[in-house]
Amino acid sequence: MEMDRDILEEALSLLGDILEAENAEPLHLVASGGAAMVVTGRVSRSTHDIDILATRGEIDGEISPAFPLPDFLMNASRRVAKAKGLETAWLNAATSMLMVPLQDLPQKLWSDLVPREYGSRLKISFLGRSGQIYLKVYAASNREEARDLVDLNALDPESGEIVDAICWMMEMELFPRRITDRLERFLSKIGYEEAISEFN
């Protein structure tokens, strides 16, 4: 079942209620991907899951890998899936394994978060606009999925923001450190051909 903004919020509210009823350990999660775009109102499309990128310490703000999610959270999420008719893995941390190490992600990503509280036991910070631009440029340059271009267009990045994202990818050796046909094709695909001059 695909989840629009209303269904996402209902599922997360129920998840928070379950964790509160069980007096579970408080959690602060960081979510990325389509769910973050939907919840923050950047796009109106639906998504089939919520990508949990990291966990965050409530006292020190320390960022840690989200995988594996705690058993008590996964048990609660399965109850939500059954109650709402969602996919079993509607809440998952697979993206935290597929991305670059958390410490290599841009610091701007962690300072631009949109927090939401779902009861007293669950807080989720969704990636904000600047963080999403970095990750959507990363995604759009590595796969052929129309939603990446739709999401990137919805973020309406300035040319300088695209350049910053590509420079970060070059620093991480996710993109060659020079002008290539691949770079030119990518900038053309996302409609930022003028940015090529920044790499001369």
Side-chain angles (χ1 to χ4, degrees), residues 8 21 38 63 78 81 84 113 118 140-141 155 158 161 163 165 169 181 183 185 193 197:
L8 274 170
V38 172
I63 297 294
R78 283 190 283 272
K84 294 292 184 179
L113 298 172
Y118 301 93
S141 66
L155 292 165
E158 297 178 359
E161 293 174 312
V163 170
M169 292 178 63
D181 289 343
L183 177 57
R185 286 195 303 271
E193 297 92 335
S197 63

Side-chain angles (χ1 to χ4, degrees), residues 122-144:
L122 179 62
K123 182 176 182 179
I124 301 182
S125 288
F126 297 91
L127 289 194
R129 178 180 171 277
S130 58
Q132 288 283 20
I133 289 172
Y134 279 96
L135 297 192
K136 284 301 175 180
V137 168
Y138 173 83
S141 66
N142 283 285
R143 64 187 185 188
E144 294 290 335

Side-chain angles (χ1 to χ4, degrees), residues 1-19:
M1 177 180 176
E2 291 282 297
M3 299 182 288
D4 60 16
R5 187 174 184 177
D6 288 341
I7 295 174
L8 274 170
E9 292 287 2
E10 289 174 8
L12 290 172
S13 293
L14 178 56
L15 181 62
D17 289 344
I18 292 172
L19 294 177

Side-chain angles (χ1 to χ4, degrees), residues 1-3 45-51 86-87 89-92 147:
M1 177 180 176
E2 291 282 297
M3 299 182 288
R45 69 174 175 85
S46 58
T47 184
H48 67 278
D49 64 1
I50 300 178
D51 295 318
L86 305 178
E87 295 181 17
W90 70 276
L91 186 76
N92 72 81
R147 70 171 184 259

